[in-house]
Amino acid sequence: MCELLGMSANVPTDICFSFAGLMARGGRTGPHKDGWGVAMYRHGQVWSIHDPRPSADSDMADVISKTSLKCEVVISHIRQANVGEVCLPNTHPFSRQLWGKTWSYAHNGQLEKSETLSLTQFIPVGTTDSERSFCWLLESLSNEFGDVMPEGEVLSEALCRLAHHLKSMGVFNMMLSEGEFLFCYCSTKLHWITRRAPFKKATLSDEDITINFSEVTTDKDVVTVIATQPLTTNETWQQMQEGEFIAFRSGEVLYNSRNVL
């Protein structure tokens, strides 16, 4: 299985601390050595970096872990290959254009019979079930809503329904964003934590790194981090339930399927 990392914040925030923990799991403290990637959004524009090498050995990953590229939304992924060879086209996050926005997507899991997902508009570049499911999601949204992106809650309801369908095909943990929202769906494992004032210290599980967030934030900052497994040892993370869908915006929960009657 792969591992996911996401961030949603109300102010531009760097991902260095959390990414350093994820990076170590990509071939050193974890088996996810088959490539890594990251998509970082600021004001709706995205930086995307992909590398089929293990993140623990990647000079590019080392730069990301030490460079303060402040963003509002981040999606990152370290891969343990199941379907598709280890190569650049099969490295997450994948991206496509829809409604004038660049969408980024990362998936953890394996889907059976993904070739049955019908596609006409969005065609995969690589050979993974993950990319095909991403293309199917966007094509389904385009078919349902046409040329106009719906409001966040309506979009969340549609994505939750589509995610349930993909979950019926296997393991489907995913993150999806167009720069404003961060959509997360849990099939087996996803955890999240929201940090806000009063900020405290945090220590990574996979690296000997501690940060005092009160020294690098203001009392108005709200930063939510989502990961396959908790990244720190001295914080309380919330575990998502099987089949739970959460949409974050500016670090806050916009939509949670558990709260929908």
Side-chain angles (χ1 to χ4, degrees), residues 178-190:
E178 40 53 87
E180 179 181 1
F181 305 101
L182 177 59
F183 303 103
C184 302
Y185 184 83
C186 177
S187 175
T188 54
K189 290 182 182 179
L190 270 183

Side-chain angles (χ1 to χ4, degrees), residues 6 14 16 25 36 63 65 92-93 99 110 112 129 132 142 164 198 201 204 210 229 234-235 247 249-250:
D14 73 54
C16 296
R25 296 178 182 179
W36 67 276
V63 169
S65 71
H92 307 224
W99 297 320
Q110 190 169 355
E112 297 181 2
D129 53 348
R132 189 171 187 90
S142 178
H164 283 327
K201 292 183 179 180
L204 289 176
T210 297
Q229 296 283 12
N234 57 341
E235 296 180 294
R249 181 173 60 187
S250 299

Side-chain angles (χ1 to χ4, degrees), residues 94-169:
F94 305 107
S95 64
R96 291 292 191 282
Q97 297 286 322
L98 177 64
W99 297 320
K101 299 176 182 291
T102 301
W103 293 73
S104 298
Y105 167 94
H107 166 232
N108 163 21
Q110 190 169 355
L111 303 177
E112 297 181 2
K113 299 181 179 180
S114 63
E115 67 278 3
T116 63
L117 295 170
S118 179
L119 300 174
T120 58
Q121 180 181 356
F122 295 89
I123 305 302
V125 176
T127 57
T128 64
D129 53 348
S130 300
E131 187 183 13
R132 189 171 187 90
S133 64
F134 173 42
C135 291
W136 180 82
L137 276 173
L138 293 190
E139 188 148 317
S140 299
L141 292 176
S142 178
N143 290 338
E144 182 169 351
F145 297 109
D147 296 330
V148 180
M149 179 174 169
E151 296 294 326
E153 291 192 16
V154 175
L155 180 57
S156 296
E157 291 173 356
L159 281 169
C160 183
R161 171 170 36 84
L162 295 169
H164 283 327
H165 175 76
L166 291 170
K167 177 179 176 292
S168 72
M169 302 172 66

Side-chain angles (χ1 to χ4, degrees), residues 156 192 240 244-247 253-260:
S156 296
W192 62 283
M240 290 179 64
E244 183 176 3
F245 179 97
I246 304 179
V253 174
L254 171 74
Y255 175 95
N256 189 327
S257 61
R258 289 172 58 183
N259 301 330
V260 178

Side-chain angles (χ1 to χ4, degrees), residues 170-256:
V171 177
F172 185 68
N173 303 293
M174 75 98 183
M175 293 182 181
L176 173 70
S177 181
E178 40 53 87
E180 179 181 1
F181 305 101
L182 177 59
F183 303 103
C184 302
Y185 184 83
C186 177
S187 175
T188 54
K189 290 182 182 179
L190 270 183
H191 298 76
W192 62 283
I193 185 170
T194 297
R195 300 181 179 121
R196 64 179 83 235
F199 290 95
K200 300 177 182 179
K201 292 183 179 180
T203 300
L204 289 176
S205 306
D206 297 82
E207 291 280 19
D208 185 18
I209 299 176
T210 297
I211 187 172
N212 186 347
F213 285 114
S214 65
E215 297 177 352
V216 294
T217 56
T218 72
D219 59 2
K220 296 180 180 179
D221 293 3
V222 179
V223 181
T224 294
V225 175
I226 309 94
T228 300
Q229 296 283 12
L231 293 167
T232 57
T233 58
N234 57 341
E235 296 180 294
T236 301
W237 292 66
Q238 299 187 60
Q239 182 171 357
M240 290 179 64
Q241 296 182 0
E242 180 182 349
E244 183 176 3
F245 179 97
I246 304 179
F248 298 94
R249 181 173 60 187
S250 299
E252 304 283 7
V253 174
L254 171 74
Y255 175 95
N256 189 327

